[in-house]
Amino acid sequence: MSAGPAGHVTRSFDIPNSETADQTPSRPPRARLRRFLRTDDGVNIEAVYDPKAVVYNASGNTGAPSSGHLAVVVAHGFTGDANRPHVRRVAEMLARYGSVITFSFRGHGRSGGHSTVGDREVLDLAAAVRWARELGHDHIATVGFSMGGSIVLRHAADPDAGTDAVVSVSAPARWYYRGTAPMRRVHWLVTRPTGRLLGRYGFRTRIHHRDWNPVPLSPVESVPLIAPTPLLIVHGDSDGYFPVDHPEMLAAAAGENGELWLERGMGHAENAAGEELLERIGGWVTKKGSGAAPR
């Protein structure tokens, strides 16, 4: 595996039988879109665009799309994809605050390629962010969970990332962590032929067999490079994968530029993110993402 800079969409094309909508640079689409995006290294990434939810007038039964050009790009965790129920739930909640782009990382869902478990996936996120800009969004926030949480940190560390706010949920601070039983199982899944076979047929995740070379910048090494882009770190104190020293390391590395929410009783990633937490995250990205100018 090899690291690379944030990539750009070289071309995109409709997924057959997908929803379509007119679009102009000054007006983002009003209907759901599905696309395959091509990353810098030539991988087709499945992506879904959900416009910001309609705001209804309490005095009547009519409504119109709410204003605002904020897009929230959601990066799922390992073995997830854009069509999994927990990812769709996150998208539906965050669509109350801005339009939402979800996508399947390489090796996941209908996307091409093989998962590199945190390395080349930064190119997948970059493709989705670029698509949000092409759709006419003035402000973009990235929200990542677990592996996706590490990816949004690495992506935002690039000065050309083009994001206005970053939220990392349940992310590791460092690579190769094996301190919990769930993470030891993940390492077996990734490093062993039998594990990769289980990943392919049991979790619908195609995992690359090569080791990282070179090792990409770790999340905690990436965090100091994110400033001045606003950063929110969210973690559960009952996370079974990464204990609280991980978010504490990330928050310490962020210094005054970062904000840490340590959530009582919360477990790991998308499945553990309740409605109330997602509403608070939506409010945070609305405030921070819409008020900051892109780098």
Side-chain angles (χ1 to χ4, degrees), residues 217-293:
L217 200 67
S218 71
V220 73
E221 293 170 324
S222 301
V223 163
L225 305 177
I226 294 174
T229 301
L231 170 63
L232 173 62
I233 299 159
V234 182
H235 209 92
D237 65 1
S238 298
D239 192 308
Y241 287 78
F242 305 112
V244 295
D245 63 312
H246 285 260
E248 290 170 349
M249 288 177 63
L250 295 172
E256 294 182 356
N257 190 62
E259 190 173 341
L260 172 62
W261 295 355
L262 195 59
E263 299 295 308
R264 174 177 290 186
M266 177 184 168
H268 186 69
E270 301 99 322
N271 284 326
E275 182 172 322
E276 187 271 338
L277 173 60
L278 292 172
E279 287 180 344
R280 282 193 283 127
I281 290 174
W284 188 92
V285 298
T286 300
K287 179 181 178 180
K288 301 293 186 176
S290 298

Side-chain angles (χ1 to χ4, degrees), residues 22 24 36 47-48 53 61 71 133 149 151 161 168 174 194 203 215 222 257 261 263 278 281 295:
D22 293 333
T24 67
F36 276 116
V48 182
N61 295 323
R133 291 286 180 204
I151 299 305
S168 178
R174 55 194 185 274
T194 304
F203 296 101
V215 175
S222 301
N257 190 62
W261 295 355
E263 299 295 308
L278 292 172
I281 290 174
R295 290 191 294 172

Side-chain angles (χ1 to χ4, degrees), residues 201-222:
Y201 295 105
F203 296 101
R204 297 185 295 171
T205 302
R206 304 175 307 280
I207 305 167
H208 209 294
H209 66 279
R210 296 193 184 96
D211 293 333
W212 287 339
N213 183 24
V215 175
L217 200 67
S218 71
V220 73
E221 293 170 324
S222 301

Side-chain angles (χ1 to χ4, degrees), residues 15-172:
I15 295 176
N17 301 319
S18 69
E19 301 88 338
T20 59
D22 293 333
Q23 62 191 65
T24 67
S26 61
R27 190 190 69 184
R30 291 187 173 187
R32 173 177 287 182
L33 300 172
R34 287 181 178 268
R35 291 282 192 276
F36 276 116
L37 310 175
R38 183 70 65 95
T39 67
D40 241 13
D41 61 344
V43 179
N44 291 332
I45 299 300
E46 177 189 24
V48 182
Y49 174 89
D50 288 286
K52 187 175 180 180
V54 171
V55 175
Y56 289 93
N57 188 329
S59 62
N61 295 323
T62 62
S66 55
S67 62
H69 286 191
L70 171 69
V72 182
V73 181
V74 176
H76 64 76
F78 184 54
T79 74
D81 66 61
N83 300 300
R84 293 288 177 96
H86 54 275
V87 177
R88 299 315 316 155
R89 178 178 62 86
V90 170
E92 289 169 4
M93 287 295 303
L94 295 181
R96 302 176 184 179
Y97 302 90
S99 298
V100 177
I101 290 178
T102 50
F103 64 96
S104 300
F105 280 120
R106 61 186 62 206
H108 294 72
R110 297 173 67 185
S111 291
H114 288 75
S115 174
T116 63
V117 200
D119 181 13
R120 303 294 289 182
E121 283 76 10
V122 71
L123 302 178
D124 308 344
L125 176 59
V129 169
R130 174 65 180 273
W131 189 36
R133 291 286 180 204
E134 292 174 346
L135 291 174
H137 287 280
D138 302 320
H139 302 288
I140 299 174
T142 54
V143 179
F145 295 84
S146 192
M147 181 185 77
S150 71
I151 299 305
V152 299
L153 297 176
R154 289 191 56 224
H155 174 263
D158 190 307
D160 297 322
T163 50
D164 301 289
V166 181
V167 182
S168 178
V169 184
S170 303

